[in-house]
Amino acid sequence: MSDPLLIGYWRSSAAYRVRIAVALKGLEPRHAYVHLRKGEQRGADYRARNPAGLVPMWEDDGLSLAQSLAIIEYLDEKYPGPPLLPERPANRAVAREIALTIACDIHPLGNLRVLDKLTEDFGADAGARAAWIRHWIGIGFAAVEARLAGSAGRHCVGDEAGLADIFLVPQVYNARRWEFDLSPFPRIVAADEAARALPAFVAAAPENQPDAE
């Protein structure tokens, strides 16, 4: 039986999430890379492996998973220590809410294929694409910032880094890439800073990946 395989791309925020979870769990899977900017995710070989044509992709003893949240929850169940979700059910629900706000309400609208469709169908130039992304980050971050007012300790939900932080940090990375103004979101900035100080988050950072450009 071979070690698990994680297929990703250094600047994919979804792959970034899984790298953080893997590092927090102390796992050492094999890695492979799909270059999104070159369109390798649309190639026949990769689409046969992952019909969604996206990253990340996790392969483990006959199991294939292709959504970051599914991969992360699978890892948390298979390798329960340290846990990625709080003990109390209410706090677990809050952590999932934050993660899903990012995964469902912000991230998909800034996905490369969405941006390319905006250009193809509506002639959106680079400036319009950036404005589109910043718009949706702002709406989503307003909701997350309000939630953190009642949930945050050192991290998003209490004082231990977990699922919510795993989703927040890559989205803040994206926000900075797109020159989004984070000054109205001090709780998000504080949670991001606290998480990125941890070794697992450092190891998972895009600039520290073998395929980084």
Side-chain angles (χ1 to χ4, degrees):
M1 182 174 63
S2 61
D3 293 333
L5 174 67
L6 174 59
I7 304 173
Y9 176 63
W10 70 284
R11 211 163 61 178
S12 160
S13 59
Y16 189 177
R17 299 166 192 160
V18 177
R19 292 196 304 265
I20 296 169
V22 164
L24 285 170
K25 293 292 185 181
L27 305 176
E28 296 183 355
R30 295 173 294 131
H31 290 266
Y33 307 99
V34 172
H35 199 297
L36 301 185
R37 288 287 180 182
K38 294 180 180 178
E40 292 177 357
Q41 73 277 18
R42 296 188 292 270
D45 289 346
Y46 188 66
R47 292 299 287 263
R49 197 170 202 165
N50 178 5
L54 299 170
V55 295
M57 181 80 179
W58 180 267
E59 297 182 354
D60 182 3
D61 194 24
L63 172 69
S64 296
L65 292 172
Q67 286 288 341
S68 63
L69 184 58
I71 295 168
I72 291 165
E73 294 227 46
Y74 167 75
L75 295 177
D76 204 29
E77 293 175 5
K78 186 172 183 178
Y79 308 98
L84 301 180
L85 284 163
E87 183 175 354
R88 291 183 59 234
N91 290 344
R92 294 165 76 90
V94 168
R96 286 190 172 104
E97 179 192 294
I98 294 169
L100 288 167
T101 298
I102 293 165
C104 298
D105 296 344
I106 304 175
H107 172 256
L109 291 162
N111 192 284
L112 180 60
R113 62 182 180 174
V114 171
L115 299 179
D116 287 345
K117 190 67 172 173
L118 286 174
T119 298
E120 179 183 343
D121 288 359
F122 305 106
D125 61 12
R129 287 160 67 116
W132 166 272
I133 291 174
R134 288 193 291 265
H135 172 78
W136 295 111
I137 292 174
I139 290 174
F141 272 11
V144 173
E145 180 77 9
R147 172 55 76 185
L148 293 181
S151 70
R154 177 170 173 77
H155 297 289
C156 285
V157 183
D159 293 324
E160 299 294 329
L163 183 72
D165 308 276
I166 288 169
F167 278 73
L168 182 72
V169 167
Q171 191 58 58
V172 174
Y173 172 85
N174 276 349
R176 291 192 171 105
R177 276 185 59 210
W178 293 102
E179 299 181 346
F180 177 80
D181 180 13
L182 288 165
S183 61
F185 308 100
R187 297 182 187 93
I188 286 176
V189 171
D192 171 72
E193 182 177 351
R196 286 190 299 108
L198 300 176
F201 285 77
V202 174
E207 62 271 18
N208 294 328
Q209 304 316 300
D211 63 325
E213 298 172 357

Short mmCIF file of all heavy atoms in Angstrom, two decimals, residues 31-58:
data_model
loop_
_atom_site.label_atom_id
_atom_site.label_comp_id
_atom_site.label_asym_id
_atom_site.label_seq_id
_atom_site.Cartn_x
_atom_site.Cartn_y
_atom_site.Cartn_z
N HIS A 31 3.24 14.10 -3.15
CA HIS A 31 2.65 15.28 -3.79
C HIS A 31 2.84 15.19 -5.30
O HIS A 31 3.87 14.72 -5.79
CB HIS A 31 3.30 16.56 -3.28
CG HIS A 31 2.95 16.89 -1.87
ND1 HIS A 31 1.90 17.72 -1.53
CD2 HIS A 31 3.51 16.49 -0.70
CE1 HIS A 31 1.83 17.82 -0.21
NE2 HIS A 31 2.79 17.08 0.31
N ALA A 32 1.83 15.65 -6.01
CA ALA A 32 1.92 15.85 -7.46
C ALA A 32 1.26 17.18 -7.76
O ALA A 32 0.49 17.71 -6.95
CB ALA A 32 1.24 14.71 -8.21
N TYR A 33 1.55 17.73 -8.94
CA TYR A 33 1.15 19.10 -9.21
C TYR A 33 0.48 19.20 -10.58
O TYR A 33 0.91 18.58 -11.55
CB TYR A 33 2.35 20.04 -9.13
CG TYR A 33 3.08 19.88 -7.82
CD1 TYR A 33 4.23 19.09 -7.73
CD2 TYR A 33 2.59 20.46 -6.66
CE1 TYR A 33 4.88 18.89 -6.52
CE2 TYR A 33 3.23 20.28 -5.44
CZ TYR A 33 4.37 19.50 -5.37
OH TYR A 33 5.00 19.31 -4.17
N VAL A 34 -0.58 20.00 -10.64
CA VAL A 34 -1.30 20.30 -11.87
C VAL A 34 -1.23 21.81 -12.06
O VAL A 34 -1.67 22.57 -11.18
CB VAL A 34 -2.76 19.82 -11.78
CG1 VAL A 34 -3.56 20.31 -12.98
CG2 VAL A 34 -2.81 18.30 -11.69
N HIS A 35 -0.69 22.25 -13.17
CA HIS A 35 -0.49 23.68 -13.40
C HIS A 35 -1.79 24.28 -13.95
O HIS A 35 -2.13 24.09 -15.12
CB HIS A 35 0.66 23.91 -14.37
CG HIS A 35 1.22 25.29 -14.32
ND1 HIS A 35 0.48 26.40 -14.65
CD2 HIS A 35 2.46 25.74 -13.96
CE1 HIS A 35 1.22 27.48 -14.50
NE2 HIS A 35 2.42 27.11 -14.08
N LEU A 36 -2.50 25.02 -13.11
CA LEU A 36 -3.80 25.55 -13.51
C LEU A 36 -3.67 26.60 -14.61
O LEU A 36 -4.52 26.66 -15.51
CB LEU A 36 -4.51 26.15 -12.29
CG LEU A 36 -4.79 25.20 -11.12
CD1 LEU A 36 -5.61 25.90 -10.06
CD2 LEU A 36 -5.48 23.92 -11.58
N ARG A 37 -2.65 27.43 -14.55
CA ARG A 37 -2.51 28.49 -15.55
C ARG A 37 -2.20 27.93 -16.94
O ARG A 37 -2.55 28.54 -17.95
CB ARG A 37 -1.40 29.47 -15.12
CG ARG A 37 -1.78 30.36 -13.97
CD ARG A 37 -2.77 31.42 -14.40
NE ARG A 37 -3.17 32.29 -13.32
CZ ARG A 37 -4.05 33.26 -13.44
NH1 ARG A 37 -4.63 33.48 -14.61
NH2 ARG A 37 -4.38 34.02 -12.41
N LYS A 38 -1.58 26.77 -16.98
CA LYS A 38 -1.30 26.12 -18.26
C LYS A 38 -2.46 25.23 -18.71
O LYS A 38 -2.38 24.63 -19.79
CB LYS A 38 -0.02 25.30 -18.16
CG LYS A 38 1.24 26.14 -17.95
CD LYS A 38 2.48 25.26 -17.86
CE LYS A 38 3.73 26.10 -17.66
NZ LYS A 38 4.95 25.24 -17.51
N GLY A 39 -3.49 25.12 -17.90
CA GLY A 39 -4.65 24.33 -18.28
C GLY A 39 -4.49 22.84 -18.12
O GLY A 39 -5.27 22.07 -18.69
N GLU A 40 -3.51 22.39 -17.34
CA GLU A 40 -3.29 20.95 -17.20
C GLU A 40 -4.48 20.25 -16.56
O GLU A 40 -4.68 19.05 -16.78
CB GLU A 40 -2.02 20.70 -16.40
CG GLU A 40 -0.75 21.12 -17.13
CD GLU A 40 0.51 20.94 -16.30
OE1 GLU A 40 0.40 20.55 -15.12
OE2 GLU A 40 1.60 21.18 -16.85
N GLN A 41 -5.28 20.99 -15.80
CA GLN A 41 -6.47 20.40 -15.15
C GLN A 41 -7.53 20.00 -16.16
O GLN A 41 -8.43 19.22 -15.85
CB GLN A 41 -7.03 21.36 -14.11
CG GLN A 41 -7.76 22.58 -14.67
CD GLN A 41 -6.83 23.71 -15.05
OE1 GLN A 41 -5.63 23.52 -15.21
NE2 GLN A 41 -7.38 24.91 -15.18
N ARG A 42 -7.43 20.53 -17.38
CA ARG A 42 -8.40 20.20 -18.41
C ARG A 42 -7.94 19.07 -19.33
O ARG A 42 -8.67 18.66 -20.24
CB ARG A 42 -8.71 21.45 -19.25
CG ARG A 42 -9.39 22.56 -18.44
CD ARG A 42 -9.86 23.69 -19.33
NE ARG A 42 -8.76 24.44 -19.93
CZ ARG A 42 -8.18 25.50 -19.37
NH1 ARG A 42 -8.59 25.92 -18.18
NH2 ARG A 42 -7.20 26.13 -19.98
N GLY A 43 -6.74 18.57 -19.11
CA GLY A 43 -6.21 17.49 -19.94
C GLY A 43 -6.95 16.19 -19.73
O GLY A 43 -7.53 15.93 -18.66
N ALA A 44 -6.95 15.36 -20.75
CA ALA A 44 -7.71 14.11 -20.70
C ALA A 44 -7.25 13.20 -19.56
O ALA A 44 -8.08 12.57 -18.89
CB ALA A 44 -7.59 13.38 -22.04
N ASP A 45 -5.95 13.13 -19.33
CA ASP A 45 -5.44 12.24 -18.28
C ASP A 45 -5.93 12.68 -16.91
O ASP A 45 -6.37 11.85 -16.10
CB ASP A 45 -3.91 12.23 -18.30
CG ASP A 45 -3.34 11.50 -19.49
OD1 ASP A 45 -4.10 10.78 -20.16
OD2 ASP A 45 -2.13 11.65 -19.77
N TYR A 46 -5.88 13.99 -16.66
CA TYR A 46 -6.32 14.46 -15.34
C TYR A 46 -7.84 14.38 -15.21
O TYR A 46 -8.35 14.01 -14.14
CB TYR A 46 -5.83 15.87 -15.06
CG TYR A 46 -6.12 16.29 -13.62
CD1 TYR A 46 -5.47 15.65 -12.56
CD2 TYR A 46 -7.05 17.28 -13.32
CE1 TYR A 46 -5.76 15.99 -11.24
CE2 TYR A 46 -7.32 17.62 -12.01
CZ TYR A 46 -6.67 16.98 -10.98
OH TYR A 46 -6.95 17.31 -9.66
N ARG A 47 -8.58 14.69 -16.27
CA ARG A 47 -10.03 14.60 -16.19
C ARG A 47 -10.50 13.17 -15.99
O ARG A 47 -11.55 12.93 -15.38
CB ARG A 47 -10.67 15.20 -17.45
CG ARG A 47 -10.51 16.69 -17.59
CD ARG A 47 -11.15 17.47 -16.45
NE ARG A 47 -12.59 17.47 -16.52
CZ ARG A 47 -13.30 18.47 -17.05
NH1 ARG A 47 -12.70 19.51 -17.59
NH2 ARG A 47 -14.61 18.42 -17.05
N ALA A 48 -9.73 12.20 -16.49
CA ALA A 48 -10.08 10.80 -16.23
C ALA A 48 -9.91 10.48 -14.74
O ALA A 48 -10.65 9.66 -14.19
CB ALA A 48 -9.19 9.89 -17.07
N ARG A 49 -8.96 11.14 -14.14
CA ARG A 49 -8.69 10.93 -12.70
C ARG A 49 -9.68 11.71 -11.85
O ARG A 49 -10.14 11.23 -10.82
CB ARG A 49 -7.27 11.41 -12.43
CG ARG A 49 -6.64 10.93 -11.16
CD ARG A 49 -5.16 11.29 -11.18
NE ARG A 49 -4.41 10.46 -10.27
CZ ARG A 49 -3.08 10.36 -10.28
NH1 ARG A 49 -2.38 11.05 -11.18
NH2 ARG A 49 -2.46 9.58 -9.41
N ASN A 50 -9.97 12.94 -12.27
CA ASN A 50 -10.87 13.83 -11.53
C ASN A 50 -11.78 14.53 -12.54
O ASN A 50 -11.40 15.54 -13.13
CB ASN A 50 -10.06 14.86 -10.74
CG ASN A 50 -10.96 15.84 -10.00
OD1 ASN A 50 -12.17 15.71 -10.00
ND2 ASN A 50 -10.35 16.83 -9.36
N PRO A 51 -12.99 14.02 -12.76
CA PRO A 51 -13.88 14.59 -13.78
C PRO A 51 -14.21 16.06 -13.56
O PRO A 51 -14.57 16.76 -14.51
CB PRO A 51 -15.14 13.71 -13.66
CG PRO A 51 -14.64 12.41 -13.13
CD PRO A 51 -13.54 12.78 -12.18
N ALA A 52 -14.09 16.53 -12.31
CA ALA A 52 -14.36 17.95 -12.04
C ALA A 52 -13.29 18.85 -12.64
O ALA A 52 -13.53 20.04 -12.87
CB ALA A 52 -14.47 18.19 -10.54
N GLY A 53 -12.11 18.31 -12.88
CA GLY A 53 -11.04 19.10 -13.46
C GLY A 53 -10.57 20.21 -12.54
O GLY A 53 -10.24 21.31 -13.00
N LEU A 54 -10.51 19.93 -11.26
CA LEU A 54 -10.10 20.92 -10.26
C LEU A 54 -9.04 20.32 -9.35
O LEU A 54 -8.81 19.10 -9.35
CB LEU A 54 -11.31 21.36 -9.42
CG LEU A 54 -12.48 22.03 -10.17
CD1 LEU A 54 -13.68 22.17 -9.25
CD2 LEU A 54 -12.05 23.39 -10.70
N VAL A 55 -8.40 21.16 -8.56
CA VAL A 55 -7.56 20.70 -7.46
C VAL A 55 -8.14 21.30 -6.17
O VAL A 55 -8.82 22.32 -6.22
CB VAL A 55 -6.09 21.15 -7.65
CG1 VAL A 55 -5.48 20.49 -8.86
CG2 VAL A 55 -5.94 22.66 -7.73
N PRO A 56 -7.89 20.63 -5.04
CA PRO A 56 -7.02 19.48 -4.83
C PRO A 56 -7.69 18.16 -5.18
O PRO A 56 -8.89 18.08 -5.38
CB PRO A 56 -6.74 19.55 -3.32
CG PRO A 56 -8.03 20.08 -2.76
CD PRO A 56 -8.49 21.11 -3.77
N MET A 57 -6.85 17.13 -5.17
CA MET A 57 -7.30 15.75 -5.36
C MET A 57 -6.53 14.89 -4.35
O MET A 57 -5.31 15.02 -4.24
CB MET A 57 -6.99 15.29 -6.78
CG MET A 57 -7.43 13.88 -7.10
SD MET A 57 -9.19 13.82 -7.47
CE MET A 57 -9.40 12.08 -7.81
N TRP A 58 -7.25 14.07 -3.61
CA TRP A 58 -6.64 13.20 -2.61
C TRP A 58 -6.90 11.75 -2.99
O TRP A 58 -8.04 11.38 -3.28
CB TRP A 58 -7.23 13.49 -1.23
CG TRP A 58 -6.67 12.66 -0.11
CD1 TRP A 58 -7.16 11.47 0.35
CD2 TRP A 58 -5.51 12.94 0.68
NE1 TRP A 58 -6.38 11.00 1.39
CE2 TRP A 58 -5.36 11.89 1.61
CE3 TRP A 58 -4.58 13.98 0.68
CZ2 TRP A 58 -4.32 11.86 2.55
CZ3 TRP A 58 -3.56 13.94 1.61
CH2 TRP A 58 -3.42 12.90 2.52
#
